[in-house]
């Protein structure tokens, strides 16, 4: 996923989803290494992408 402050994708855990005013929204939990903290936040569909696997 790509939170609003990030310039690269971060791994995260999808906790829930809902239909928002502008489309689907996802409640995700991810780690911010710079601040050394976990964040739980609603993100838009554009900010959440499936993990790439090989």
């Amino acid at each position: 996923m790509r939170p609003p402050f990030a310039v690269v994708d971060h791994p995260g855990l999808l906790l829930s989803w809902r239909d928002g005013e502008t489309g689907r929204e996802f409640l995700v939990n991810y780690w911010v290494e710079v601040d050394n903290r976990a964040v739980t936040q609603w993100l838009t569909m554009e900010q959440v992408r499936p993990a790439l696997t090989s």
Side-chain angles (χ1 to χ4, degrees):
M1 78 182 102
R2 186 167 294 177
F5 66 86
V7 295
V8 297
D9 289 340
H10 292 276
L13 176 66
L14 174 64
L15 303 172
S16 184
W17 62 89
R18 66 183 180 193
D19 291 325
E21 294 179 11
T22 59
R24 185 138 303 163
E25 298 174 338
F26 302 93
L27 183 62
V28 295
N29 184 268
Y30 57 92
W31 184 256
V32 180
E33 205 166 322
V34 175
D35 296 334
N36 201 30
R37 65 185 174 103
V39 175
T40 302
Q41 178 179 18
W42 286 100
L43 297 177
T44 65
M45 189 179 309
E46 292 78 25
Q47 295 169 310
V48 178
R49 297 185 245 311
L52 299 176
T53 59
S54 48

